[in-house]
Each structure stands twice: as structure tokens, then as C-alpha cells.
Amino acid sequence: MLEIKKLTAGYGEQEILHQVDLEFPKGEFCALLGPNGAGKTTLLKTIVGYLPYTSGDILIKKRSLQKWSKRELARNIALISQEFSLQFDYTVEELVLMGRFPYLGYWQNYSDKDRQIVAEILAKLDLSNYASKLYSQLSGGEKKRVSIARAMAQQTDIMLLDEAFTQLDINHQIEIMHILSQINKQDGKLILLISHNINLASEYCERIVMLKQGRVLADGKPAEIINQENLHRLYNARLQVIQNPVTKNPNLIYPELK
Ligand code: ADP
Ligand code: MG
């Protein structure tokens, strides 16, 4: 579904990603972990074509990114960015409808079918009562749900999320992860998300990719790669990993900090 081959990319002369090699099959649920500045956002932005790459290639459905038109790409990949600012205020319904933009013909307006798709998504994400509310008047968790709803309206096979729940309380973090897990299972979407919540990634994701200084440090199932040694190499922090007694997945605990 998504292949990243010896990818080198960055900003102008500054190379951030070095020879990144990753392959994601259809329907996978994967978390991208790494310290600040590792190049995680750069990787997602390169995958959706916002940033050019200098060497290597990105294949989407076996076809090089260079050969996709923007419109076609938007029907296949959705990126939910970390920062989302609006120049004008829109209602929740209007914003989610914008996800249908790649399907509009020239001069065409949103159809009844588009509105129906949006209504179904809003219902699925418990947002129906918010349809006519202004985005600026929502809480952080509601805003995140709206951005997921908008990406869902794009009806893509691949969904990328940049720190989908960094500023949310733990209950809303779980809620977002649960929604994503459902989308992944029911719709068979490939989901790649950047996260700083190691335990949630371990519990929900089938695969973890660790990125440091623009290189893949480890890649595998949570049980295989979430361990003290890798976390130390990744974050340069002394952390302790134990097995969750209920789920048997590796979980991070804080050791004696003195
Ligand atoms: P992460 O998302 O893992 O925290 P980023 O991909 O945002 O890291 O950043 C990786 C590196 O690229 C950092 O050193 C950052 O300073 C640099 N960088 C990010 N955005 C830009 C930009 N627009 N122009 C130049 N350098 C940038
Ligand atoms: Mg980032």
C-alpha cells in the first residue's frame, strides 16, 4: 500500500531523513515514535507530497508519488496535521464537508451524497449534535474528533496522523485511539500515527517504528521492540518496561527517579 524506499528528504540543503526504508501493507495500524526533532512530521509531510524528496522514492499502491496528481492523492491519503489553524471560522459540518473536496467536479458544489456521507461520519464520531457549532467554540478533544471526521470524509485507504492526541487528557486519548482502532478494523484503512504515548501505542498498534535523527532505529511488533534498551537509545532516558499483567503488552513505568 505504502512503500518508502531509501528516502532522503528535508528542507533545502538541510537533509533530515536519511535513507529511510519502510513498507506498510494495507490495513496496518502503526505508531511512529521518536524524540522531538527526529523527523517524524517531516516524514509524514513528505509522504503526502508537501515536501519534495532528494533521493529514493515513495510508492503508493505501487506507483511513485511523483506520478500522482494532487487531487488523486487526496483521494488516497489523508493527513491530520498537528497544528490546524483556520483563517475563518467554520461550522463542524462545513469543515467535515471540506474533506469531500477532492471528489468535487469543477464548479460543482457539494451534493446530497456528500452531505449524507458527512452526516454518517458525524454520527459515527458522536458529533451529530455539533454539526452547526463553530469550530472555534469546541474543546480540544472535540476539535480532534472533527479533524478525524474530515479525514474520514476524504474516504482514503491511508490515514496519517501527526500527534493526534498530545494535548488531550487521558480519557480523550483513549477515546481517539479507540476510534482509530475501529476505523482501522472496520474500514481496513492503513493508519500511521505519530505518538508520544508509548503505552497506548503498545496496547493498540500492531507495529511500532522508532525514528531517531532521521533514521529508523527499530521496527517491529510492540512486544519485540518496546524495551528498556531501545527506549534508552531512542529518548536517552532511563525508563523501565514491564509486561502489562492484563494485556501482556510491554508498558512503560517510571523507575525511581532519584
Ligand atoms: P519531529 O516531528 O520528529 O519532532 P520534525 O520533522 O518536525 O521533527 O523536524 C525535524 C527537523 O527538521 C528539526 O531539526 C527541525 O528543526 C527541522 N525542521 C522542521 N521544519 C522545518 C522547516 N520548515 N524548515 C527547516 N527545518 C525544519
Ligand atoms: Mg512533529
Side-chain angles (χ1 to χ4, degrees), residues 125-127 141-149 175-176 179:
L125 296 191
D126 248 340
L127 286 168
E142 290 156 359
K143 281 181 177 165
K144 282 293 173 194
R145 291 213 311 272
V146 170
S147 53
I148 291 174
E175 180 189 47
I176 298 285
I179 291 170

Side-chain angles (χ1 to χ4, degrees), residues 15-33:
E15 189 179 306
I16 304 292
L17 302 171
H18 318 282
Q19 304 261 323
V20 173
D21 250 322
L22 290 165
E23 211 173 296
F24 301 96
K26 184 180 186 307
E28 195 166 60
F29 192 9
C30 177
L32 186 58
L33 304 183

